[in-house]
Every structure is written in C-alpha cells, then in structure tokens.
Amino acid sequence: MTERHQDRKIVVSDPERCSGCGLCEYVCSMVNEKTFNPHKSRIRVIRRGLVNMAVSCRKCKDPVCVASCPKNALSQEKHTGIICVDEHACTGCGWCIGACSFGALNLHPDKKIVYTCNSCDVFNGVPQCVQWCTENALQYITAENLAQKIRQKIVSQLLETREVAKTENCNK
C-alpha cells in the first residue's frame, strides 16, 4: 500500500530549541559513514547569528531534485518518499543540489556523488539524529502534524498578547 504524501514523516527542526551544537550531524555521519565528520552528514545545521536550525530532506510530493537530474540518477521511494541515488549513474553535476529549495542535498566530499537524508537506522520509531538531539529540537513528524503545531503555537501567542494587552489596560 502506498503511503499518502501527507503521511510521510520528515525530520524538522525547531530554531527556538536548536543550540547549533551539531550533534545531529555527528550522529548522522557515524550512522551512515562510520566516521564523526559533519561534512559527511545528511542533516546540516545552519547557523545565522543567534538562530540555528537543522535542515534535512522534506520528501517533497513532486521532488524537483529528481526531475532536474540529467542522468536520471535520482528516484523517490514511493512508500517513504526517501530520495534514492544511483551511485553508478550520478556524476556529481549538482543540478539537483541547485534545484532543491531547502538545501537538503549535498555532494559527498570523497565519492563526489549526491546524497541526502535516508531516515537512517530508525530507533524506537525515530531517526538517530532525532533520538540523540539533547535539546529536543528535532522531531520526526508528518507535515500535517507540523502545520498543526505551528497553528497551536500561533494561537497561544495571540492569547498571550491579548492577556498582556488586557493587563496593561487594567493598570491604566
């Protein structure tokens, strides 16, 4: 049975919790490459000022990375949405890297082929990067669950703002 796109789980990062420590990168590289090397990780921490956020493949419904490959080296696994790379066909041209809006594909520093998140070694239902995140900044959830959490957060913020405004008006 094919899983619906909205039911596919993805690794998402909460920038309010991410400390930028890079532990997810080290765990990922160890699980997949048997080395502690963040340059060989399938998840990348982006550090911009005081904001940190881990980025990985979003398992798009119609992945432009797959469509952009001139060698047909990329395909998407129908059930999980994982992007698969045919290492014999990939030339490392980088068209798919440029096509990805999320910056989720990388060129392997040794093999010179493209690679991305493979939802590695799921342990207790979650990938290792999520399992080992000390700040609980990573979650393995569906896009629909992510959208619901964002809606709940916005409503909470609106209610807090309303309560602050009420308190300020009472103090005048």
Side-chain angles (χ1 to χ4, degrees):
M1 182 171 95
T2 301
E3 194 172 80
R4 298 179 314 158
H5 176 260
Q6 60 265 34
D7 294 334
R8 292 180 183 162
K9 289 187 174 185
I10 56 175
V11 175
V12 295
S13 175
D14 181 349
E16 291 180 10
R17 289 180 175 242
C18 182
S19 67
C21 71
L23 182 59
C24 56
E25 294 173 315
Y26 285 102
V27 168
C28 179
S29 67
M30 179 50 78
V31 168
N32 289 288
E33 301 287 330
K34 307 301 180 236
T35 183
F36 286 114
N37 183 342
H39 298 291
K40 294 182 178 182
S41 174
R42 286 155 171 76
I43 188 169
R44 296 293 169 101
V45 176
I46 307 301
R47 297 164 183 88
R48 183 74 72 194
L50 297 175
V51 178
N52 303 299
M53 187 170 158
V55 176
S56 70
C57 182
R58 303 300 267 198
K59 301 177 184 173
C60 301
K61 182 177 182 180
D62 295 310
V64 293
C65 60
V66 172
S68 70
C69 181
K71 298 294 184 180
N72 295 320
L74 300 180
S75 61
Q76 186 175 44
E77 204 278 326
K78 294 205 184 301
H79 180 67
T80 63
I82 292 171
I83 302 300
C84 303
V85 180
D86 179 345
E87 293 187 13
H88 300 291
C90 181
T91 62
C93 70
W95 280 90
C96 57
I97 294 171
C100 178
S101 300
F102 301 100
L105 288 105
N106 299 292
L107 190 63
H108 194 284
D110 299 331
K111 299 176 185 177
K112 304 299 182 212
I113 58 167
V114 172
Y115 66 116
T116 190
C117 179
N118 56 7
S119 296
C120 67
D121 199 13
V122 174
F123 179 76
N124 290 334
V126 296
Q128 292 294 311
C129 59
V130 176
Q131 184 74 25
W132 284 90
C133 180
T134 58
E135 302 299 321
N136 294 317
L138 297 178
Q139 296 179 335
Y140 191 52
I141 60 175
T142 65
E144 181 58 35
N145 286 346
L146 175 61
Q148 182 63 24
K149 286 180 182 244
I150 292 169
R151 287 189 288 268
Q152 290 170 344
K153 182 178 177 180
I154 290 170
V155 169
S156 293
Q157 289 173 340
L158 288 171
L159 291 174
E160 282 178 29
T161 303
R162 183 175 175 217
E163 288 302 313
V164 168
K166 273 173 95 176
T167 303
E168 288 174 356
N169 285 337
C170 290
N171 292 334
K172 287 184 180 181

PDB file of all heavy atoms in Angstrom, residues 136-148:
ATOM      1  N   ASN A 136      16.085  18.476  22.230  1.00  0.00           N
ATOM      2  CA  ASN A 136      14.766  18.102  21.692  1.00  0.00           C
ATOM      3  C   ASN A 136      14.313  19.086  20.623  1.00  0.00           C
ATOM      4  O   ASN A 136      13.135  19.426  20.523  1.00  0.00           O
ATOM      5  CB  ASN A 136      13.715  17.997  22.801  1.00  0.00           C
ATOM      6  CG  ASN A 136      14.010  16.857  23.748  1.00  0.00           C
ATOM      7  OD1 ASN A 136      14.372  15.769  23.314  1.00  0.00           O
ATOM      8  ND2 ASN A 136      13.880  17.110  25.034  1.00  0.00           N
ATOM      9  N   ALA A 137      15.267  19.556  19.819  1.00  0.00           N
ATOM     10  CA  ALA A 137      14.967  20.498  18.751  1.00  0.00           C
ATOM     11  C   ALA A 137      14.510  19.792  17.479  1.00  0.00           C
ATOM     12  O   ALA A 137      13.917  20.418  16.611  1.00  0.00           O
ATOM     13  CB  ALA A 137      16.197  21.348  18.444  1.00  0.00           C
ATOM     14  N   LEU A 138      14.786  18.505  17.369  1.00  0.00           N
ATOM     15  CA  LEU A 138      14.403  17.751  16.179  1.00  0.00           C
ATOM     16  C   LEU A 138      13.195  16.874  16.473  1.00  0.00           C
ATOM     17  O   LEU A 138      13.091  16.286  17.550  1.00  0.00           O
ATOM     18  CB  LEU A 138      15.558  16.860  15.706  1.00  0.00           C
ATOM     19  CG  LEU A 138      16.826  17.576  15.268  1.00  0.00           C
ATOM     20  CD1 LEU A 138      17.880  16.552  14.869  1.00  0.00           C
ATOM     21  CD2 LEU A 138      16.546  18.533  14.126  1.00  0.00           C
ATOM     22  N   GLN A 139      12.314  16.806  15.501  1.00  0.00           N
ATOM     23  CA  GLN A 139      11.151  15.927  15.597  1.00  0.00           C
ATOM     24  C   GLN A 139      11.021  15.160  14.293  1.00  0.00           C
ATOM     25  O   GLN A 139      11.419  15.647  13.227  1.00  0.00           O
ATOM     26  CB  GLN A 139       9.869  16.726  15.832  1.00  0.00           C
ATOM     27  CG  GLN A 139       9.831  17.455  17.131  1.00  0.00           C
ATOM     28  CD  GLN A 139       8.530  18.240  17.279  1.00  0.00           C
ATOM     29  OE1 GLN A 139       7.891  18.606  16.312  1.00  0.00           O
ATOM     30  NE2 GLN A 139       8.146  18.476  18.513  1.00  0.00           N
ATOM     31  N   TYR A 140      10.445  13.973  14.372  1.00  0.00           N
ATOM     32  CA  TYR A 140      10.178  13.146  13.195  1.00  0.00           C
ATOM     33  C   TYR A 140       8.668  13.044  13.088  1.00  0.00           C
ATOM     34  O   TYR A 140       8.043  12.227  13.752  1.00  0.00           O
ATOM     35  CB  TYR A 140      10.829  11.773  13.388  1.00  0.00           C
ATOM     36  CG  TYR A 140      10.856  10.897  12.172  1.00  0.00           C
ATOM     37  CD1 TYR A 140      11.368  11.351  10.966  1.00  0.00           C
ATOM     38  CD2 TYR A 140      10.395   9.592  12.238  1.00  0.00           C
ATOM     39  CE1 TYR A 140      11.425  10.532   9.858  1.00  0.00           C
ATOM     40  CE2 TYR A 140      10.446   8.756  11.130  1.00  0.00           C
ATOM     41  CZ  TYR A 140      10.963   9.235   9.947  1.00  0.00           C
ATOM     42  OH  TYR A 140      11.017   8.419   8.847  1.00  0.00           O
ATOM     43  N   ILE A 141       8.086  13.939  12.307  1.00  0.00           N
ATOM     44  CA  ILE A 141       6.632  14.057  12.245  1.00  0.00           C
ATOM     45  C   ILE A 141       6.171  14.268  10.801  1.00  0.00           C
ATOM     46  O   ILE A 141       6.980  14.566   9.922  1.00  0.00           O
ATOM     47  CB  ILE A 141       6.115  15.215  13.131  1.00  0.00           C
ATOM     48  CG1 ILE A 141       6.694  16.555  12.690  1.00  0.00           C
ATOM     49  CG2 ILE A 141       6.428  14.967  14.589  1.00  0.00           C
ATOM     50  CD1 ILE A 141       6.134  17.753  13.449  1.00  0.00           C
ATOM     51  N   THR A 142       4.886  14.163  10.596  1.00  0.00           N
ATOM     52  CA  THR A 142       4.327  14.439   9.280  1.00  0.00           C
ATOM     53  C   THR A 142       4.210  15.949   9.087  1.00  0.00           C
ATOM     54  O   THR A 142       4.171  16.713  10.056  1.00  0.00           O
ATOM     55  CB  THR A 142       2.936  13.807   9.113  1.00  0.00           C
ATOM     56  OG1 THR A 142       2.034  14.438  10.031  1.00  0.00           O
ATOM     57  CG2 THR A 142       2.959  12.305   9.347  1.00  0.00           C
ATOM     58  N   ALA A 143       4.130  16.352   7.834  1.00  0.00           N
ATOM     59  CA  ALA A 143       3.964  17.778   7.528  1.00  0.00           C
ATOM     60  C   ALA A 143       2.649  18.298   8.110  1.00  0.00           C
ATOM     61  O   ALA A 143       2.572  19.437   8.571  1.00  0.00           O
ATOM     62  CB  ALA A 143       4.022  18.003   6.024  1.00  0.00           C
ATOM     63  N   GLU A 144       1.626  17.456   8.119  1.00  0.00           N
ATOM     64  CA  GLU A 144       0.330  17.870   8.692  1.00  0.00           C
ATOM     65  C   GLU A 144       0.465  18.103  10.198  1.00  0.00           C
ATOM     66  O   GLU A 144      -0.060  19.086  10.726  1.00  0.00           O
ATOM     67  CB  GLU A 144      -0.737  16.818   8.404  1.00  0.00           C
ATOM     68  CG  GLU A 144      -2.097  17.185   8.947  1.00  0.00           C
ATOM     69  CD  GLU A 144      -2.668  18.501   8.428  1.00  0.00           C
ATOM     70  OE1 GLU A 144      -2.435  18.852   7.259  1.00  0.00           O
ATOM     71  OE2 GLU A 144      -3.345  19.196   9.207  1.00  0.00           O
ATOM     72  N   ASN A 145       1.173  17.229  10.896  1.00  0.00           N
ATOM     73  CA  ASN A 145       1.384  17.428  12.338  1.00  0.00           C
ATOM     74  C   ASN A 145       2.213  18.684  12.602  1.00  0.00           C
ATOM     75  O   ASN A 145       1.960  19.404  13.559  1.00  0.00           O
ATOM     76  CB  ASN A 145       2.058  16.215  12.963  1.00  0.00           C
ATOM     77  CG  ASN A 145       1.123  15.042  13.112  1.00  0.00           C
ATOM     78  OD1 ASN A 145      -0.090  15.180  13.003  1.00  0.00           O
ATOM     79  ND2 ASN A 145       1.671  13.870  13.350  1.00  0.00           N
ATOM     80  N   LEU A 146       3.185  18.939  11.743  1.00  0.00           N
ATOM     81  CA  LEU A 146       3.986  20.148  11.872  1.00  0.00           C
ATOM     82  C   LEU A 146       3.107  21.387  11.717  1.00  0.00           C
ATOM     83  O   LEU A 146       3.185  22.323  12.512  1.00  0.00           O
ATOM     84  CB  LEU A 146       5.111  20.160  10.830  1.00  0.00           C
ATOM     85  CG  LEU A 146       5.958  21.423  10.765  1.00  0.00           C
ATOM     86  CD1 LEU A 146       6.672  21.671  12.090  1.00  0.00           C
ATOM     87  CD2 LEU A 146       6.946  21.330   9.617  1.00  0.00           C
ATOM     88  N   ALA A 147       2.251  21.380  10.703  1.00  0.00           N
ATOM     89  CA  ALA A 147       1.346  22.514  10.473  1.00  0.00           C
ATOM     90  C   ALA A 147       0.431  22.721  11.677  1.00  0.00           C
ATOM     91  O   ALA A 147       0.187  23.862  12.092  1.00  0.00           O
ATOM     92  CB  ALA A 147       0.528  22.289   9.207  1.00  0.00           C
ATOM     93  N   GLN A 148      -0.066  21.644  12.262  1.00  0.00           N
ATOM     94  CA  GLN A 148      -0.945  21.752  13.434  1.00  0.00           C
ATOM     95  C   GLN A 148      -0.193  22.358  14.620  1.00  0.00           C
ATOM     96  O   GLN A 148      -0.735  23.218  15.327  1.00  0.00           O
ATOM     97  CB  GLN A 148      -1.526  20.381  13.803  1.00  0.00           C
ATOM     98  CG  GLN A 148      -2.478  20.399  14.974  1.00  0.00           C
ATOM     99  CD  GLN A 148      -3.728  21.237  14.723  1.00  0.00           C
ATOM    100  OE1 GLN A 148      -4.129  21.467  13.593  1.00  0.00           O
ATOM    101  NE2 GLN A 148      -4.331  21.727  15.784  1.00  0.00           N
TER     102      GLN A 148
END
